[in-house]
């Protein structure tokens, strides 16, 4: 069997500090948390026993005497042998009984491991969440309180998972606390359906000095909205009949928030003409006035025209002498 000095790789003249530092060095290598071999387990027990014996003045002098490390002694070999056996057995027993010592070094080892090793930075994950807003909110801009599930370092064990050697009861040994966090997110006006808003640092918490993740809010706009969006303004398409297009008319237009307004269609209005109805759109928070409402007209006929009406068109068609399509084809370079 190797003697305790050989086990710790130290000289028999080693000081207590040298013994401690040698032990730490060995323990780091052979601790069962690090090294899972049977051999390491045996060595770890040996270095514990060696350090325990050599750090105790009484036990060390007896051990030295028994193994002849103390040159001043002058005893017979038999006596040395007996003493050595006695001490070894005694030390072994007390080692078994006294686990405090091992625990002390275990904790010490853990502490030094923490400071010695610089853990790798781990960046927090991004969090993606969805929100659906109404059409007018998309136009005007709005805000949403978002409830997100975030994990952060446990406030009791600070991520160590253990408190005084036993599992942290606060986080159940997970090292982190999972909680809902309310974050108020501003949604800018004129946002498009499916747009992503990034909120920096509000994702999962980074570990060991790693960066926090970001929070992404994906904005959906309600599909069944009566109003569409054009250049950031509310927008409507409205049919007018041929006589209104030719003669001009005053037509009722529904405006946001349930009212109606009158739009004046001038005579000879052509299809797809867009009108800007001032102060008839959604309320603008910045100006505290209503934005314009965009109205595009298209020419249509009623599905329930009376016979008399249709007869009138016959007269019109006989009077018609225009080159509507020829002009169109010319414009489009069809001939
Ligand atoms: Zn904890």
């Amino acid at each position: 069997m190797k003697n305790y000095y050989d086990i710790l790789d130290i000289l028999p003249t080693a000081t207590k500090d040298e013994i401690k530092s040698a032990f730490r060095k060995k323990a780091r290598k052979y601790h069962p948390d690090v090294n899972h071999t049977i051999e390491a387990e045996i060595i770890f027990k040996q270095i514990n026993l060696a350090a325990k014996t050599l750090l105790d003045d009484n036990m060390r002098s007896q051990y030295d005497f028994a193994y002849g490390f103390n040159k001043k002694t002058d005893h017979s070999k038999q006596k040395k042998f007996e003493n050595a056996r006695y001490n070894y057995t005694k030390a072994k027993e007390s080692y078994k009984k006294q686990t405090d010592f091992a625990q002390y070094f275990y904790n010490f080892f853990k502490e030094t491991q923490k400071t010695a090793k610089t853990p790798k930075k781990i960046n927090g994950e991004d969090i993606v969440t969805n929100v659906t807003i109404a059409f007018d909110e998309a136009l005007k801009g709005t805000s949403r309180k978002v409830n997100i599930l975030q994990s952060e370092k446990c406030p009791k064990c600070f991520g160590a998972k253990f408190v005084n050697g036993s599992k942290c009861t606060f986080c159940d040994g997970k090292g982190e606390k999972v909680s809902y966090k309310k974050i108020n997110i501003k949604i800018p006006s004129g946002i498009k359906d499916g747009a992503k808003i990034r909120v920096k640092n509000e994702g999962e918490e980074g570990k060991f000095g790693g960066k926090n993740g970001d929070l992404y809010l994906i904005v959906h706009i309600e599909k069944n909205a009566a109003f569409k969006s054009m250049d950031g303004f509310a927008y409507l398409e409205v049919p007018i009949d041929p006589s209104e297009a030719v003669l001009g008319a005053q037509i009722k237009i529904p405006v946001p928030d349930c009212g109606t307004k009158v739009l004046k269609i001038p005579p000879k209005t052509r299809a797809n003409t867009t009108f800007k109805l001032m102060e008839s759109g959604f309320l603008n928070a910045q100006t505290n006035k209503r934005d314009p409402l965009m109205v595009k007209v298209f020419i249509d006929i009623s599905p329930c025209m009376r016979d008399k009406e249709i007869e009138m068109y016959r007269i019109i068609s006989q009077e018609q002498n225009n080159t509507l399509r020829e002009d169109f084809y010319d414009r489009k370079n069809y001939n």
Side-chain angles (χ1 to χ4, degrees), residues 30-303:
Y30 294 109
H31 193 279
D33 276 7
V34 184
N35 197 324
H36 305 292
T37 61
I38 306 269
E39 193 200 3
E41 204 188 308
I42 294 165
I43 295 173
F44 186 66
K45 277 180 187 164
Q46 284 178 346
I47 58 177
N48 269 294
L49 191 55
K52 181 183 167 61
T53 307
L54 299 182
L55 284 170
D56 183 297
D57 288 341
N58 238 332
M59 282 164 82
R60 186 181 182 181
S61 68
Q62 282 183 42
Y63 182 82
D64 284 350
F65 173 74
Y67 281 86
F69 290 113
N70 191 338
K71 294 282 186 285
K72 286 170 199 162
T73 54
D74 188 24
H75 289 267
S76 72
K77 273 187 183 174
Q78 182 57 36
K79 178 91 176 155
K80 278 181 197 169
F81 180 65
E82 277 169 15
N83 266 327
R85 276 181 63 125
Y86 169 73
N87 281 315
Y88 180 62
T89 320
K90 205 178 128 191
K92 226 166 140 184
E93 275 168 12
S94 75
Y95 169 67
K96 274 182 191 160
K97 278 181 207 158
Q98 241 182 315
T99 48
D100 306 28
F101 177 77
Q103 187 61 44
Y104 163 76
F105 269 104
Y106 175 78
N107 290 344
F108 198 86
F109 163 74
K110 276 279 174 199
E111 278 305 308
T112 48
Q113 193 189 37
K114 243 183 264 161
T115 49
K117 265 197 194 165
T118 330
K120 229 175 109 190
K121 286 179 182 176
I122 301 172
N123 291 341
E125 298 272 326
D126 291 335
I127 295 176
V128 179
T129 186
N130 290 274
V131 69
T132 301
I133 59 172
F135 177 77
D136 62 316
E137 288 182 298
L139 278 175
K140 290 185 285 189
T142 183
S143 66
R144 277 290 188 281
K145 275 199 178 71
V146 180
N147 245 341
I148 50 161
L149 204 55
Q150 255 183 351
S151 57
E152 56 191 349
K153 214 183 272 175
C154 170
K156 196 179 173 189
C157 65
F158 303 103
K161 301 176 185 177
F162 290 89
V163 175
N164 298 328
S166 49
K167 197 163 84 177
C168 173
T169 50
F170 192 88
C171 63
D172 199 28
K174 287 181 187 74
E176 52 185 30
K177 188 188 90 167
V178 176
S179 59
Y180 279 99
K181 189 174 175 185
K182 268 201 173 101
I183 295 174
N184 198 39
I185 300 174
K186 229 187 130 192
I187 299 171
S189 63
I191 194 152
K192 299 273 185 290
D193 185 56
K196 246 188 202 177
I197 296 173
R198 179 189 184 203
V199 187
K200 273 188 97 174
N201 291 323
E202 292 292 1
E204 295 285 354
E205 196 178 61
K207 291 188 179 82
F208 313 118
K211 276 186 270 174
N212 286 356
D214 297 328
L215 169 66
Y216 285 96
L217 184 73
I218 299 175
V219 180
H220 303 277
I221 299 168
E222 273 175 13
K223 290 283 187 290
N224 59 352
F227 299 91
K228 292 177 188 167
S229 163
M230 181 194 259
D231 302 329
F233 298 135
Y235 163 78
L236 269 182
E237 285 186 8
V238 177
I240 53 174
D241 61 41
S243 67
E244 287 173 329
V246 174
L247 305 171
Q250 309 239 356
I251 62 170
K252 271 187 188 170
I253 302 290
V255 297
D257 308 325
C258 301
T260 55
K261 274 211 167 180
V262 173
L263 173 65
K264 204 179 160 201
I265 306 287
K268 292 197 241 174
T269 289
R270 300 191 64 185
N272 300 323
T273 305
T274 302
F275 298 93
K276 204 174 192 178
L277 203 55
M278 298 308 288
E279 289 184 36
S280 305
F282 292 102
L283 194 68
N284 186 319
Q286 276 142 26
T287 60
N288 208 26
K289 278 183 182 171
R290 283 179 179 275
D291 279 332
L293 176 67
M294 309 300 279
V295 182
K296 187 166 152 182
V297 295
F298 61 97
I299 295 162
D300 200 0
I301 56 167
S302 165

